[in-house]
């Protein structure tokens, strides 16, 4: 996450939801990034670039895989920065504010799950402080302490577990199981205000009533390093935050995530993309609601490869994983065109194709790109990882792809340097090369906040948005399986078995 000072932004929430059209967003980081190291006040974990560093990241990925409109853009009130945090499970994290008075959480951002939950009236939750958190200290939510909190009754159409209700007026229970060492979250659904801010022009606070899980009992990895402060689902179900914001008229039914090469990114709700982006249709499967696209081929160096397969675009996976025949086609073509000498480099690395650096010290691997359905080209800006010693001297590099069985995942490394637009209204995935620190005004649309939203208290400045309040760690590549099996949950089971071990910050490695 950004340095503590970055969290203490002088965000004064003085007005009710604005009627002017603006965008809403927030920031995300990676735990081993320099920014997060400074913010957490410590320098733990293997040095960036070393074999141990990439082995740790890939190890989490493998376990994760086994777990197998008319409005404008908005961001979380604390900003649209996101942070890939290694210690907390290979996900991107962001700071969110809930309730009146507000309480802030550092939550994992997961495009592969739907429900947003935070630790709440805890019976069994992760500790608020821990040596593994560095200087971070977490908060918990309590419905009794928020004047705008409301229970979600069993009669709500968002209640999936009505069979467990005593009556239609009872609080709706939830129970989500993650296939990571008996990892789960359970509690009741509540509704409260989520604080957002318009992204462009004059910044204005927007309050949106959001349904989320009051997570009273967490088990498994959530009691340790994975998502100790909550998980924010970005999936396609009606319970996900993008779905709720769109249904309430807060934003368009679309959002974007930008993946910086340094682990620092951005998320913007309501971003419908721009006319100059590349795009491809989303494959919509009711029983398998992932952001799934079709790939028709690839270009590796000078060689064109024909192959048809579908892949899940997964922001919570660090390294791309493909099954055969595409894995072998791409890696073999890459290997045949590399001029450097093959080298194992380190036995802990999970990558099959690694090379030593030439005497000149230059690295010029073949370029890689994917061709999506419709002909759009998805550029892979960073297909390799460079292995360095503790002094940052290059020792070699590897093609950062892993072989999977039956599941194809386009991971974060293939999205590096791109802004990805998840347009659920048009049912397309869009992308363009982008500097995450730039402003893109191409899709600015008017915001229509819900007029019934309860305004925040007049003052919500630095005293409320403190680093302590913004603390958090989120789930590692957690693929959520809502109880009540379906085709979608069986798929998550298939590849969540590999991902189960990712821990500590959101997309932390």
């Amino acid at each position: 996450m950004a340095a503590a000072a970055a969290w203490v932004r002088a965000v004064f929430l003085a007005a009710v939801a604005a009627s002017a059209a603006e965008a809403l967003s927030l920031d995300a980081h990676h735990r081993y990034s320099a920014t997060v190291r400074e913010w957490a006040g410590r320098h733990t974990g293997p040095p960036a670039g070393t074999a141990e560093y990439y082995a740790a990241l890939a190890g989490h990925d493998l376990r994760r895989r086994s777990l197998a409109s008319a409005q404008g853009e908005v961001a979380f009130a604390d900003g649209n920065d996101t942070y890939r945090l290694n210690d907390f499970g290979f996900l991107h994290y962001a700071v969110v504010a809930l309730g009146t008075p507000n309480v802030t959480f550092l939550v994992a951002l997961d495009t592969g799950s739907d429900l947003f939950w935070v630790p709440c009236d805890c019976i069994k939750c992760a500790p608020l402080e821990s040596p593994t958190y560095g200087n971070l200290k977490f908060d918990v939510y309590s419905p009794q302490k928020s004047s705008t909190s409301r229970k979600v009754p069993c009669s709500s159409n968002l209640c999936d577990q009505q069979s467990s209700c005593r009556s239609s007026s009872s609080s709706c229970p939830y129970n989500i199981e993650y296939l990571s060492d008996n990892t789960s979250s359970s509690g009741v659904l509540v509704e409260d205000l989520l604080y957002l801010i318009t992204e462009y022009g004059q910044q204005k606070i927007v309050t949106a009533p959001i349904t989320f899980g009051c997570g009273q009992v967490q088990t498994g990895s959530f009691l340790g390093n994975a998502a100790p402060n909550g998980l924010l689902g970005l999936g396609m179900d009606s319970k996900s935050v993008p779905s709720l914001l769109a249904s309430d008229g807060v934003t368009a039914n679309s959002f974007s995530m930008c993946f910086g090469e340094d682990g620092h990114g951005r998320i913007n709700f309501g971003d419908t993309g721009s006319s100059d982006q590349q795009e491809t249709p989303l494959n919509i499967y009711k029983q398998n609601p992932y952001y799934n696209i079709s790939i028709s081929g690839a270009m590796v160096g000078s060689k064109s490869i024909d192959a048809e397969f579908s892949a899940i675009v997964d922001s919570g996976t660090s390294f791309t994983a493909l099954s055969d025949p595409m894995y072998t086609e791409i890696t073999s073509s890459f290997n045949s065109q590399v001029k450097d000498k093959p080298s194992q480099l380190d036995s802990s690395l999970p990558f099959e194709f690694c090379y030593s650096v030439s005497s000149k010290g230059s690295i010029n691997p073949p370029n890689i790109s994917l061709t999506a359905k419709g002909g759009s080209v998805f550029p892979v800006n960073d297909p390799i990882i460079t292995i360095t010693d503790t002094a940052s001297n290059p020792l070699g590099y590897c093609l950062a792809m892993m072989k999977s069985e039956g599941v194809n995942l386009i991971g974060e490394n293939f999205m590096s340097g791109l802004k990805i637009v998840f347009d659920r209204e048009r049912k397309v995935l869009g992308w363009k090369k982008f500097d995450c620190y730039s402003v893109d005004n191409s899709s600015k649309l008017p915001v229509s906040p819900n007029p019934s939203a309860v305004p925040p208290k007049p003052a919500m400045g630095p005293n409320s948005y403190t680093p302590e309040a913004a603390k958090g760690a989120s789930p590692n590549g957690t693929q959520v399986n809502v109880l009540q099996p379906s085709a979608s949950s069986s798929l998550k089971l298939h590849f969540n078995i590999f991902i189960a071990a990712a821990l500590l910050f959101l997309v932390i490695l």
Side-chain angles (χ1 to χ4, degrees):
M1 301 299 279
W7 300 123
V8 190
R9 296 174 178 171
V11 180
F12 292 94
L13 310 181
V16 223
S19 60
E22 310 281 351
L24 309 174
S25 52
L26 53 116
D27 286 345
H29 284 266
H30 177 339
R31 177 183 178 181
Y32 292 159
S33 70
T35 304
V36 173
R37 289 174 186 268
E38 180 183 358
W39 172 56
R42 60 201 181 104
H43 300 270
T44 60
T50 61
E52 292 82 0
Y53 171 85
Y54 291 112
L57 295 185
H60 289 308
D61 278 351
L62 287 171
R63 288 185 285 271
R64 176 188 174 100
R65 281 199 302 282
S66 59
L67 285 180
S69 329
Q71 299 83 347
E73 297 176 46
V74 297
F76 296 127
D78 279 281
N80 67 350
D81 288 342
T82 60
Y83 306 89
R84 188 181 63 228
L85 303 175
N86 294 339
D87 283 350
F88 296 99
F90 280 72
L91 298 177
H92 273 264
Y93 286 76
V95 178
V96 301
L98 291 169
T100 308
N102 77 89
V103 180
T104 52
F105 300 87
L106 181 64
V107 298
L109 305 176
D110 191 2
T111 60
S113 64
D114 300 301
L115 185 67
F116 171 27
W117 64 264
V118 296
C120 165
D121 285 351
C122 290
I123 297 173
K124 190 177 183 181
C125 300
L128 300 182
E129 299 179 71
S130 170
T132 62
Y133 300 164
N135 293 335
L136 303 178
K137 180 182 178 182
F138 300 145
D139 262 329
V140 295
Y141 174 86
S142 177
Q144 290 72 32
K145 295 181 180 180
S146 173
S147 63
T148 49
S149 178
R150 299 177 179 85
K151 75 174 184 179
V152 175
C154 287
S155 58
S156 170
N157 57 8
L158 292 177
C159 185
D160 291 333
Q161 299 189 359
Q162 295 179 350
S163 61
S164 301
C165 296
R166 294 181 179 180
S167 70
S168 60
S169 61
S170 299
S171 293
C172 176
Y174 82 87
N175 189 350
I176 299 177
E177 293 189 342
Y178 302 73
L179 299 187
S180 169
D181 300 327
N182 194 33
T183 296
S184 67
S185 176
S186 61
V188 295
L189 296 183
V190 297
E191 180 186 286
D192 209 334
L193 297 182
L194 173 68
Y195 294 94
L196 303 168
I197 192 167
T198 52
E199 177 68 356
Y200 301 124
Q202 182 180 2
Q203 290 191 328
K204 299 177 182 178
I205 293 300
V206 176
T207 54
I210 290 290
T211 296
F212 59 96
C214 170
Q216 300 165 329
V217 177
Q218 275 67 250
T219 65
S221 297
F222 291 148
L223 297 177
N225 300 341
N229 208 212
L231 173 68
L232 192 143
L234 295 167
M236 303 184 74
D237 186 81
S238 60
K239 295 186 297 296
S240 74
V241 169
S243 297
L244 294 171
L245 293 178
S247 65
D248 284 343
V250 177
T251 66
N253 192 14
S254 182
F255 69 95
S256 67
M257 295 184 75
C258 190
F259 299 87
E261 295 181 6
D262 59 355
H264 179 199
R266 295 169 73 88
I267 180 169
N268 284 62
F269 297 104
D271 185 356
T272 55
S274 56
S275 59
D276 59 345
Q277 71 181 14
Q278 298 290 302
E279 56 186 40
T280 191
L282 287 170
N283 299 320
I284 305 299
Y285 305 117
K286 291 184 178 180
Q287 308 223 336
N288 180 15
Y290 292 97
Y291 296 107
N292 185 298
I293 63 173
S294 295
I295 301 297
S296 59
M299 178 67 73
V300 180
S302 59
K303 182 177 180 181
S304 176
I305 299 173
D306 293 324
E308 293 188 3
F309 66 97
S310 63
I312 296 169
V313 180
D314 188 353
S315 65
T317 297
S318 293
F319 302 114
T320 294
L322 301 178
S323 58
D324 275 335
M326 190 53 114
Y327 171 81
T328 296
E329 288 275 4
I330 291 179
T331 56
S332 297
S333 179
F334 183 92
N335 186 56
S336 67
Q337 297 180 64
V338 170
K339 297 180 180 180
D340 294 310
K341 182 179 180 181
S343 173
Q344 186 176 3
L345 293 179
D346 190 289
S347 60
S348 66
L349 291 170
F351 308 116
E352 184 177 0
F353 296 93
C354 296
Y355 311 88
S356 57
V357 177
S358 66
S359 58
K360 297 180 180 180
S362 61
I363 299 177
N364 297 297
N367 294 323
I368 296 178
S369 63
L370 303 176
T371 302
K373 182 178 180 180
S376 293
V377 176
F378 190 98
V380 180
N381 298 314
D382 194 17
I384 67 168
I385 53 100
T386 302
I387 308 301
T388 63
D389 58 22
T390 55
S392 298
N393 298 309
L395 300 176
Y397 62 96
C398 299
L399 174 59
M401 276 181 55
M402 293 183 286
K403 187 175 183 180
S404 65
E405 297 297 330
V407 176
N408 299 305
L409 298 173
I410 295 178
E412 185 185 314
N413 69 316
F414 270 36
M415 293 184 272
S416 178
L418 300 176
K419 182 175 80 166
I420 310 293
V421 177
F422 299 82
D423 192 330
R424 298 123 56 83
E425 182 69 30
R426 295 174 53 228
K427 295 180 175 56
V428 299
L429 183 83
W431 62 88
K432 64 185 289 186
K433 290 187 177 181
F434 198 69
D435 178 353
C436 294
Y437 305 99
S438 297
V439 174
D440 189 351
N441 291 303
S442 57
S443 62
K444 186 176 176 183
L445 298 171
V447 174
S448 301
N450 188 327
S452 65
V454 180
K457 289 187 175 181
M460 287 176 61
N463 290 334
S464 295
Y465 285 85
T466 61
E468 288 72 29
K471 57 263 171 206
S474 26
N476 40 330
T478 42
Q479 297 289 337
V480 183
N481 288 316
V482 181
L483 295 184
Q484 294 169 346
S486 65
S488 98
S489 62
S490 63
L491 173 59
K492 290 179 180 179
L493 279 171
H494 178 65
F495 63 85
N496 280 343
I497 293 170
F498 299 166
I499 307 169
L503 301 170
L504 284 172
F505 280 170
L506 191 43
V507 179
I508 261 186
L509 310 182

